[in-house]
Amino acid sequence: MKTFNALLKMEYILSKRSVSVLLLGMGMPIAFFLLFSTLWANDDSMSREMIQTWTQRYLMSMTAFSSISFALFTLPYAFQEDRIGNRLKNIQHSPITTWQYYVAKIIRILLHFVLAIFAVFMVGHFVKGITMPLTSWLASGGLLFFGATCFMPFGLLLGFIKSAEKLSIVSNIIYMGLSVLGGLWMPVETFPDWMQHISKFTPTYHLNNLIISYFDKDFSFQSLLILLAYAMIVLVVSLVIRKRIEVK
């Protein structure tokens, strides 16, 4: 237990060193949310009820946008930094087990998820006046947390990229591509028909649909299962690649 506590302490220190990344991961989605929700509020062609609905949905989309950034950026970069700084090699030659190392990393990212969800929700409530029953805040937060967790295997897979430049390019393409195609930036309904078909194959679409379906009182178990399937498939691929690397 002492070794695991030491790992957690190390992750805490590393998080403090990269606090700017944490703030950016929350700040950019909050800025987008404030910008677009303000534009909608001044749109006379939209009814008040429509503005409230769109603002609430966009809050959820930007919270998802913030959360998955930690899975697709912070997590793979953490693995890469450990590899470059020889921390991973030192851990492999210490009494620390592999599962302790990965669990410590996972806990760090999970805490980032919680902070991101809390921060964006607070802005939505206190700055934009979004009000919901406590159960709805907790349920939507829980679904966002679950959905973001399903993206962690993607971060694990990206962590095998050795070059920092390649990791930056690939992570950005995947992050921004999935965010736009999945409807986190704008409703999928506004896309051309061909683009809507592509969108429905992305995990971000099903994360967004999971939240929307909850508020529409028609919860999508299909999106839930698809998210889980994505997570399991990518996790298996990551484990296979990791095994091959270890053998080499």
Side-chain angles (χ1 to χ4, degrees), residues 7-234:
L7 276 175
L8 291 177
K9 186 177 180 180
M10 185 178 73
E11 291 301 324
Y12 171 71
I13 293 171
L14 292 173
S15 293
K16 285 178 66 178
R17 290 178 183 174
S18 59
V19 68
S20 59
V21 176
L22 175 62
L23 294 176
L24 182 63
M26 295 187 294
M28 188 169 67
I30 287 174
F32 279 128
F33 168 70
L34 293 174
L35 173 63
F36 287 105
S37 60
T38 300
L39 292 175
W40 293 330
N42 296 322
D43 189 345
D44 296 331
S45 65
M46 297 175 65
S47 66
R48 186 173 181 81
E49 287 185 0
M50 186 180 294
I51 291 172
Q52 289 176 343
T53 300
W54 277 50
T55 302
Q56 182 193 64
R57 288 191 177 186
Y58 203 63
L59 175 71
M60 300 301 159
S61 295
M62 286 297 101
T63 307
F65 182 57
S66 175
S67 299
I68 65 175
S69 70
F70 300 115
L72 298 178
F73 279 102
T74 306
L75 185 59
Y77 271 105
F79 289 133
Q80 190 179 79
E81 286 174 0
D82 286 350
R83 188 167 57 247
I84 294 173
N86 289 321
R87 283 192 293 270
L88 184 56
K89 187 176 290 185
N90 292 334
I91 286 172
Q92 289 173 340
H93 292 86
S94 72
I96 299 172
T97 58
T98 304
W99 72 265
Q100 288 178 318
Y101 168 75
Y102 282 104
V103 169
K105 290 291 181 191
I106 290 170
I107 290 174
R108 173 185 172 184
I109 303 303
L110 292 179
L111 288 175
H112 285 188
F113 291 163
V114 173
L115 289 172
I117 293 168
F118 181 78
V120 184
F121 276 15
M122 289 298 100
V123 170
H125 178 65
F126 290 107
V127 178
K128 286 300 177 179
I130 296 176
T131 56
M132 293 187 292
L134 179 60
T135 52
S136 293
W137 285 112
L138 293 175
S140 56
L143 289 172
L144 285 163
F145 181 83
F146 162 79
T149 303
C150 289
F151 282 82
M152 291 184 75
F154 288 87
L156 178 61
L157 184 61
L158 289 169
F160 293 118
I161 299 176
K162 293 182 179 180
S163 168
E165 291 79 9
K166 287 182 181 178
L167 176 58
S168 177
I169 293 170
V170 175
S171 294
N172 272 291
I173 290 174
I174 292 175
Y175 178 49
M176 300 305 293
L178 288 178
S179 297
V180 173
L181 281 175
L184 298 185
W185 279 32
M186 59 193 74
V188 172
E189 294 79 10
T190 63
F191 295 169
D193 289 341
W194 65 269
M195 197 171 176
Q196 290 188 36
H197 290 303
I198 296 174
S199 296
K200 292 176 182 178
F201 286 97
T202 63
T204 38
Y205 168 84
H206 291 285
L207 171 57
N208 202 33
N209 189 55
L210 202 64
I211 310 301
I212 292 173
S213 67
Y214 168 76
F215 284 105
D216 288 344
K217 312 297 182 184
D218 185 24
F219 188 73
S220 177
F221 286 99
Q222 182 182 32
S223 288
L224 178 71
L225 293 174
I226 290 173
L227 269 177
L228 282 171
Y230 264 112
M232 293 303 297
I233 291 170
V234 177

